[in-house]
Amino acid sequence: MFGRRGQIERREPVLGTPGFDGDLRLTADDRPTVASAPLARERASSGKARKGDAKDSAGSSKGRARGASGGGRGRGRKRGLISRLLYWGVVLGLWGVIAVGGLIFYEASQLPPIQNLAIPERPPTVIIQGADGKAIATRGEMGGANVPLRALPPYLPQAFVAIEDRRFYAHFGLDPLGLARAVVVNLTAGRLREGGSTLTQQLAKNLFLTQERTLSRKIQELILSIWLETKYSKNEILELYMNRVYFGAGAYGVEAAAQRYFGKSARQVTLSEAAMLAGLVKSPSSLAPTRNLDGAQARAEVVLAAMRDAGFISGEMQQAALARPATLAKGQGPDSTGYVADWVMEQLKSIVGPITQDIIVQTTIEPSLQAAADRALKDTLAKSGKKFGVEQGAVVVMDTDGGVRALVGGRSYEESQFNRAITAKRQPGSSFKPFVYLTAMERGLTPESVREDAPIQIKGWKPENFSKDYRGPVELKTALAFSLNTVAVRLALEVGPEEVIKTAHRLGITSKLEPNASIALGTSEVSLLEMASAYAPFANGGIGITPHVIERVRDKSGTVLHAYAQPSRGMVMAPPHVAMMNRMMQDVLVVGTARRADLPGWPAAGKTGTSQDYRDAWFLGYTGRFVAGVWLGNDDASPTKKAGGSGLPVDIWSQVMKAAHKDMPPVALPGAGTYLPGGTVPPGEVPDEPVVTGGPQPATRSAPKPGLDNWLMEKLFGRS
C-alpha cells in the first residue's frame, strides 16, 4: 500500500486472486493511517503558502473571466443581427421576385396574346402634287414612304445607333448597363440628362402603346421589347424604328423627314444631314430645323462625336461633316401650301372614301403662283401691316373654270393653321355691290341708267357716302365706279333684297344672306373663296363654276381613283348682262376706287370693299384668264387703322396677277373688249367707303316690270 520513502502506493485490485469476492470497494484496512500524516501536513503547509498567491491573483482571474464572457456575448449579438438581416433580406427578396413576377404576369395579360401580335400596318401616306406633278406637301400619320435599311447610306442607321442606343447589337431589348449608366449620369447631373430606353423599347412604344409615362406602360414596353427581339432581327428592328419615328414638322419616318428638311430622299443624305436627322428624335418639336436650325445643328455635332467614339466614322469624316453642317434645302415651297394640303385632306374622304393605301393627289395649284401670292401677302403685311393695324390676310387665285391656282389662308401657316380664305366669314362691304347692280341690269336697267345720289333715311337708318358728299343724279356706271352707297341702297330697295340674294346665290355665294336693305352694302358675312367663285362668271362669259383644287387621285400603282369631272353649272348670267357688268367694273380700275391696280396690257375689272369701321378690306378683280381675291383684317374683327379695300388689297392683287399673267398674251373681257371708258378722274385718290350699319331694317318692295334684257333672260333660261 505504501511505496518507497513512505509514499503512498496506488493499489489496483487484482481480479481472480484467492479471497476476491468481486467487491471492488476499499475496506478500512485499505485506507491510509497515521503513517500518512507527514504528507497531510506537507499539503497543509503548501496550501497556506499558495493561499496568498491565490488572493493576489483572484482579482485578475475574475476580471479575465468577465472580459472573456462579455466579448463572447457581444460577438454573438453581432453575428445574430447579421444572420437575421441576411435571412429577412432573402425572404423579402423572394417576395419581391414573386411580386414583380405577378406584376409582369398581370401586365402581360392586359396585352393581346403574343401569338396574335403583329407589326401594325404602316398608315397610308398622301402625297399632294402641284399642277406640274411635283410634290408640294405630304399628309398622313406617317408622312413618308417606307425605305429599306439596305437602301440607305450606312452612316444613317449608324447615327441612330450611336446617339440613341450604343449597345443596340449587344442587348436583348433591355440594356441593364445602359440603364445603370443613365441612372448614374442623371444622379450626377441632378437632372434628367440621359434616358435608359433602348431602340427596341422606343419602337415597342411607338408601335403598340401610348406615350403616357406610367409604370404599367413601362412594364408592357419591356415585355413587347423582348418579344420584338425574339421575333425580328436587329436590322429589321432598326429599319422599323427609322421608318416610324417622329422627326418634327409633321414628318414621320426618315424618308419624310429628309424630303421635308433637305428636299431629297433619305437614300441621298450626307453625313451631316444624317447626323441632324438622328439628333432630332430626342426632341423633334423643339429641334425641328424649320424652327430651330441652330439647335438642330448643335445636336448634330453631338451625334457626330458619338459616331466617332463608337468607331463608325473617322476623325477626318467628322471634321468634314462639321465643316459643312446640314441646312434646309433651298427652294422649299412656302409654308402656305399647308393651307392647300389641309383643304385637300378635308375633301378626300368624300371623294375616295376611307384612305387605306398610299395615294397621290394632283391638284390645280401652280407652285410658282402659290409662292408669289404667299410672298406678296407676307411682304405687304411686313411693310405696312403695323402702320395700318392689319395682322392677317388671305389670297385666292382661280382660273375661269374654277380651278384654284393659289390659296393662302394667312400670313403664316406655322403660326396659325386657321384658313381665312375658306373657313373665315367676314362682311364683304362694297365688293358685294356687283350682285345688286347685276340684279338691276337683269330687270331692265343699263350702265347709263340714272339714279339719285342723295341722303336717304329708312326707318331711322341713314346710309352715307364715304366722302359725305352727294352728286345728285348719276349714271349707274359712275355710282359703281365710285362706290356710292346711297345709290346701291336705292337699287336694292328697287329690285328687292330677296332678288339680290337670289342673284348672289346663283353666281356662287353659298352663305346665308339676310334680306334687308343693308345687303347692298355687304353686311352679311361670306368667305373669300365664295366671293372669288361668284366673280368667275363675270370673267368667263356668264358660266357658273364650282371651285375645286383636286384634279386627279391615283394609287401608288398609277390607277386613277378619281378625276375631276364636275358637270357645268351652265349659264348663270346672260351675255348682255355680262358685257354691261364688265364695262362698269372695268371703270372701277380705270377711274374709280381701284385705280391703283397695276396690270399693264391686260383689260381687267373688279370691285373694292371695306366693312364698317375698317374691319375688313377686300378687293376682287379678274381678267379673261384669272380671278383673284384679297382680304385683309384682324382675326378678332377689331378695326384697322383705316385700311380700305382701295389700298393694300389692290397692291397685293397687282403683284399676284402680274405673276399669274407672265408671258401670257392679253385677252379681252367677255363682252367688254378692250373698252377703256372716258370721264374725268376726280383729284386725289378715291378711297372705298366703310359700310354704315345699324338702325331699323327697311321693308322691301316689289321689283319693277322686267325690261328687254330681262325678257331675253326669261326666253333663254325660263326665269321671270
Side-chain angles (χ1 to χ4, degrees), residues 325-375:
T327 58
L328 289 175
K330 295 180 180 179
Q332 290 286 295
D335 73 342
S336 61
T337 56
Y339 296 112
V340 176
D342 289 350
W343 188 30
V344 168
M345 294 303 293
E346 289 174 6
Q347 300 177 66
L348 274 180
K349 291 182 180 179
S350 61
I351 290 177
V352 298
I355 301 173
T356 59
Q357 59 179 325
D358 292 350
I359 60 174
I360 301 170
V361 181
Q362 186 171 355
T363 69
T364 57
I365 296 295
E366 294 284 352
S368 60
L369 185 55
Q370 178 74 24
D374 182 80
R375 184 169 55 252

Side-chain angles (χ1 to χ4, degrees), residues 3 43 132 151 262 356 523:
R43 288 180 177 171
D132 58 0
F262 311 129
T356 59
T523 55

Side-chain angles (χ1 to χ4, degrees), residues 1 6 25 46 137 160 181 235 245 272 283 359 368 417 437 449 470 491 498 500 512 547 608 629 648 652-653 700 704:
M1 184 173 180
R25 293 175 295 178
S46 63
F160 286 87
R181 183 182 65 251
N235 284 343
V245 72
S272 60
S283 184
I359 60 174
S368 60
Q417 291 77 52
Y437 280 77
S449 297
Y470 302 94
L491 281 179
E498 292 89 349
V500 173
K512 181 181 179 180
T608 56
L648 300 183
I652 294 172
W653 181 90
T700 60

Side-chain angles (χ1 to χ4, degrees), residues 167-346:
R167 289 172 41 81
F168 173 69
Y169 286 98
H171 61 66
F172 55 90
L174 172 65
D175 184 10
L177 293 179
L179 183 60
R181 183 182 65 251
V183 170
V184 172
V185 170
N186 295 332
L187 289 177
T188 304
R191 59 188 177 89
L192 184 61
R193 290 187 55 186
E194 187 173 325
S197 294
T198 64
L199 285 178
T200 313
Q201 288 176 260
Q202 295 178 45
L203 177 63
K205 177 178 63 177
N206 289 333
L207 289 179
F208 303 107
L209 304 172
T210 66
Q211 299 297 316
E212 62 178 349
R213 295 185 176 183
T214 62
L215 177 61
S216 175
R217 196 270 294 166
K218 196 67 177 178
I219 293 173
Q220 292 180 349
E221 177 185 299
L222 292 174
I223 297 170
L224 292 169
S225 299
I226 296 173
W227 174 79
L228 285 170
E229 290 279 349
T230 59
K231 183 78 172 178
Y232 298 94
S233 69
K234 286 290 187 179
N235 284 343
E236 289 174 330
I237 291 173
L238 184 57
E239 180 179 309
L240 283 168
Y241 174 84
M242 294 178 62
N243 282 289
R244 300 292 182 107
V245 72
Y246 182 55
F247 288 88
Y252 286 86
V254 69
E255 177 68 11
Q259 294 284 0
R260 176 69 178 88
Y261 298 131
F262 311 129
K264 64 176 72 171
S265 170
R267 297 172 171 86
Q268 302 167 331
V269 296
T270 64
L271 175 57
S272 60
E273 292 167 344
M276 180 176 286
L277 290 175
L280 295 179
V281 297
K282 176 184 178 182
S283 184
S285 297
S286 62
L287 290 176
T290 49
R291 64 164 50 186
N292 185 9
L293 181 58
D294 291 340
Q297 290 176 338
R299 177 66 176 167
E301 293 180 5
V302 176
V303 176
L304 289 170
M307 295 179 72
R308 176 72 177 87
D309 292 342
F312 292 140
I313 60 174
S314 65
E316 292 77 11
M317 295 174 67
Q318 179 186 4
Q319 292 304 316
L322 290 173
R324 300 188 65 180
T327 58
L328 289 175
K330 295 180 180 179
Q332 290 286 295
D335 73 342
S336 61
T337 56
Y339 296 112
V340 176
D342 289 350
W343 188 30
V344 168
M345 294 303 293
E346 289 174 6

